[in-house]
Amino acid sequence: MTQQRIFAMTHLVNSAFERHSMQRISGWLSWVCLLLIVTLPIVVFVYWAVADAGLLAVRANMLPWAIQAPLENWQRWAGALVTCIPVGLMLRGLWEARQCFRQFAVGQVFTQQAVQRLRAFAAWAMAASAADMLISPVLSVLLTLHNPPGMRQLAIGIGTDHVLSLLFAAMVWVMAAVIAQGQVLAEENSSFV
Amino acid sequence: MPIIVQLDIMLARRKLKSKDLAEQVGMTEANLSLLKQGKVKGVRFETLEKICSILQCQPGDLLMYEAESASKTTETVEKRDF
C-alpha cells in the first residue's frame, strides 16, 4: 500500500472520528441547553430570595453597603422579575442553540437551518447582554428606594462581562457566516460523484 | 453540455445493470442515474477509476467531448435536409 493511500485512509478515519465526536458532544450540549433553560429562571428567583443586600447591591453595579434600609419582599420579587428580562432573552437564545446542536448531533452541519439557528442565538445573546446593561440602573433605583433621602442611587455601568458577552455573540454571528460558506461548498461537493 | 456521458452504452455492452454497478462502485443509484444523464458537475478520479475497473474500459469510452456550436450546426443542417 502506497504512502499516499495510507495517508488518505488515516485522514478518512480521523475525519470520521472527529465527526462522531462532534455529533456526540453536540448531543450532550443540546441537553445542557435544555437544563439551563429549565433551571436558570429558578436560580434567579432563589438568588433574589436568599442573597444578602451586599450581593444584590454589587449585582446592580453599586458598592456592597449601598443598600441602607432592609429590603422588603416586593423589592426582591421585583428585582427578580427585572433580572428575568435579560435572562429570558438569553433563554430564547439557548433554545435556538439547542435546536442547532440537535441538528449537529444528527450530522446536519452545513444546512441553512443550522446557520439560521446560530444567527438567532447570536442575536438573542446580544439582546440579553444589552438588556443586562440596561437593567442595572433600574435595579439600583429599586434596591435603594427605601434609603434615606439623598442616599438613593442610580447606577450605570458597563463591565468586562458585558463586553465579552457582546464579543462572544459577535463571534457566533461570524461563525454562522462561515458555516453558510461551508454550506455552499457542501452543496457544490454533493454535485460531484 | 459539451461533455457527454456514454456510461449507458458501456453498461449495455458489458450487460451490467445500473444497480449492480452502483453497488460495486459504492455510490447510490440516484447518483449513478445523474451521472448517466450528465447532470453532475464533476466526477472524482476515484469514482472514474472504479467504473473503468469494473467495466474494463478507458475513461475515453465513458466521456466524450462535443462542442456546443458544432452540435447546433449539425442540428440545423439536419433540419434543413429534412
Side-chain angles (χ1 to χ4, degrees):
Chain A
M1 190 179 288
T2 63
Q3 281 189 347
Q4 282 179 341
R5 281 184 182 265
I6 293 171
F7 175 78
M9 286 174 64
T10 307
H11 178 71
L12 278 172
V13 168
N14 287 342
S15 296
F17 178 75
E18 283 171 5
R19 186 169 59 245
H20 182 68
S21 293
M22 179 211 70
Q23 288 181 227
R24 196 173 64 246
I25 291 170
S26 297
W28 290 343
L29 287 174
S30 73
W31 285 109
V32 168
C33 287
L34 183 63
L35 186 66
L36 288 172
I37 290 168
V38 170
T39 58
L40 272 179
I42 301 170
V43 168
V44 166
F45 279 95
V46 169
Y47 176 79
W48 275 91
V50 303
D52 62 35
L55 276 175
L56 295 178
V58 170
R59 174 67 182 85
N61 276 325
M62 295 184 294
L63 293 171
W65 49 85
I67 302 172
Q68 297 179 4
L71 285 173
E72 296 185 15
N73 284 341
W74 73 266
Q75 285 178 292
R76 289 181 179 270
W77 274 106
L81 286 172
V82 170
T83 305
C84 278
I85 296 172
V87 169
L89 293 170
M90 180 51 79
L91 292 183
R92 184 66 180 83
L94 281 174
W95 180 256
E96 298 289 344
R98 169 175 160 78
Q99 300 307 316
C100 186
F101 284 129
R102 287 181 71 188
Q103 286 213 345
F104 290 169
V106 294
Q108 293 173 4
V109 179
F110 296 110
T111 63
Q112 195 173 357
Q113 292 84 1
V115 172
Q116 285 173 350
R117 295 287 188 184
L118 265 182
R119 283 193 173 140
F121 167 69
W124 287 111
M126 281 186 198
S129 187
D132 199 53
M133 283 189 272
L134 292 174
I135 66 166
S136 292
V138 175
L139 288 177
S140 61
V141 169
L142 181 69
L143 292 173
T144 58
L145 207 57
H146 293 310
N147 278 11
M151 302 300 287
R152 295 168 192 153
Q153 296 190 21
L154 171 68
I156 299 172
I158 298 176
T160 50
D161 54 340
H162 297 126
V163 175
L164 288 174
S165 296
L166 284 171
L167 183 62
F168 170 74
M171 281 176 62
V172 172
W173 185 276
V174 170
M175 286 296 126
V178 170
I179 291 180
Q181 290 294 312
Q183 182 204 349
V184 171
L185 291 174
E187 279 180 11
E188 175 86 12
N189 188 50
S190 68
S191 63
F192 278 73
V193 296
Chain B
M1 188 173 173
I3 300 294
I4 298 171
V5 180
Q6 298 179 309
L7 181 57
D8 49 352
I9 297 174
M10 284 310 301
L11 281 170
R13 281 183 186 170
R14 299 290 183 259
K15 296 187 175 67
L16 190 65
K17 292 179 184 174
S18 299
K19 180 185 170 184
D20 297 329
L21 179 63
E23 196 177 314
Q24 291 180 47
V25 170
M27 61 194 295
T28 62
E29 278 188 71
N31 278 350
L32 187 65
S33 176
L34 288 171
L35 175 60
K36 278 165 52 178
Q37 295 169 48
K39 290 183 178 177
V40 296
K41 282 192 177 177
V43 183
R44 295 188 182 90
F45 283 158
E46 184 186 349
T47 306
L48 194 58
E49 177 191 335
K50 286 179 184 175
I51 293 174
C52 289
S53 171
I54 293 165
L55 295 180
Q56 293 293 302
C57 65
Q58 293 293 318
D61 297 327
L62 299 171
L63 303 170
M64 188 179 77
Y65 171 75
E66 193 176 276
E68 281 180 332
S69 57
S71 62
K72 281 180 184 172
T73 306
T74 308
E75 284 177 16
T76 307
V77 170
E78 284 174 358
K79 281 178 184 174
R80 283 181 183 171
D81 286 344
F82 188 74

